[in-house]
């Protein structure tokens, strides 16, 4: 009993003498270890993305309105709408790719860890596991990139088509 008290007091003294132990982490490490910090960073990045894209969409729409109002009788009715809709599709496609990457990264890491753990339990030696890990990483990253690009392109095309018909329909309603 007395030895335990002596050990405890010695441990307390060593912590007081050496404040750089793992019990007293730095402020940055403490902040970054919190889940709410990462959630706030995630929300902040998405807020910035949405703000920039919203401003870009407004500038595209302003350009379209100025182009169609200045050339109302020249017969170039469809081209500004086509250009604006392609830009709308590109903006929404990039946003969807950013969202997909933000969701895919944690899922990819979990998948990668799971596969490596399963290979370890299967009895692979360390050197073979390192080589398999590199190959698995290349395969997973390539697969994720293909899916993200495909998804972004699909969203971009859908948004471009909808944007074109919305702009042409809006312009047609203003003329009549």
């Amino acid at each position: 009993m007395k030895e335990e008290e002596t050990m405890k007091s010695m441990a307390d003294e060593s912590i007081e003498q050496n404040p750089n132990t793992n019990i007293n982490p730095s402020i940055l490490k403490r902040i970054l270890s919190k889940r709410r910090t990462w959630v706030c960073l995630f929300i902040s990045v998405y807020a910035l993305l949405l703000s920039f894209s919203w401003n870009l969409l407004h500038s595209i729409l302003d350009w379209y309105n100025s182009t169609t109002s200045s050339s109302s009788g020249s017969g170039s009715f469809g081209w500004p709408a086509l250009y604006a809709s392609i830009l709308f599709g590109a903006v929404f496609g990039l946003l969807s790719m950013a969202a997909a990457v933000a969701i895919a990264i944690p899922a990819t890491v979990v998948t990668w860890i799971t596969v490596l753990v399963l290979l370890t339990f299967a009895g692979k030696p360390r050197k073979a596991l390192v080589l398999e890990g590199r190959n698995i990483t290349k395969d997973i990253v390539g697969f994720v990139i293909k899916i993200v690009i495909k998804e972004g392109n699909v969203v971009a095309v859908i948004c471009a088509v909808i944007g074109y018909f919305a702009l042409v329909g809006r312009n047609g309603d203003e003329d009549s």
Side-chain angles (χ1 to χ4, degrees):
M1 186 73 159
K2 204 169 203 174
E3 289 177 20
E4 290 176 17
E5 290 176 12
T6 310
M7 296 282 273
K8 212 175 201 183
S9 66
M10 288 175 62
D12 290 340
E13 288 175 10
S14 68
I15 290 172
E16 290 172 3
Q17 291 172 356
N18 190 4
N20 292 331
T21 60
N22 288 336
I23 297 173
N24 188 13
S26 69
I27 294 173
L28 182 63
K29 187 176 179 182
R30 194 177 320 153
I31 289 172
L32 290 178
S33 68
K34 304 288 184 193
R35 181 178 288 164
R36 64 177 163 248
T37 303
W38 290 105
V39 169
C40 289
L41 284 172
F42 182 77
I43 290 172
S44 300
V45 167
Y46 267 105
L48 282 171
L49 275 173
L50 289 174
S51 174
F52 291 143
S53 63
W54 186 256
N55 291 336
L56 184 61
L57 292 173
H58 272 292
S59 64
I60 292 169
L61 198 55
D62 289 341
W63 171 82
Y64 174 74
N65 288 333
S66 68
T67 304
T68 55
S69 66
S70 66
S71 65
S72 58
S74 68
S76 64
F77 171 67
W79 288 108
L82 182 66
Y83 294 146
S85 65
I86 289 172
L87 289 174
F88 284 146
V91 168
F92 284 116
L94 289 173
L95 275 176
S96 71
M97 284 193 277
V101 164
I103 293 170
I105 288 175
T108 303
V109 169
V110 168
T111 304
W112 181 73
I113 290 170
T114 303
V115 169
L116 287 179
V117 167
L118 289 173
L119 285 173
T120 303
F121 284 143
K124 288 264 187 184
R126 282 191 179 181
K127 288 184 180 184
L129 192 61
V130 169
L131 292 175
E132 285 290 324
R134 287 181 185 158
N135 291 335
I136 290 169
T137 303
K138 289 176 190 174
D139 291 342
I140 290 174
V141 168
F143 184 68
V144 167
I145 288 173
K146 286 177 188 175
I147 288 176
V148 166
I149 289 174
K150 188 186 303 182
E151 181 180 311
N153 288 341
V154 168
V155 170
V157 168
I158 290 170
C159 289
V161 169
I162 291 171
Y164 178 77
F165 287 118
L167 290 174
V168 169
R170 187 178 131 214
N171 201 8
D173 290 342
E174 290 175 0
D175 289 342
S176 51

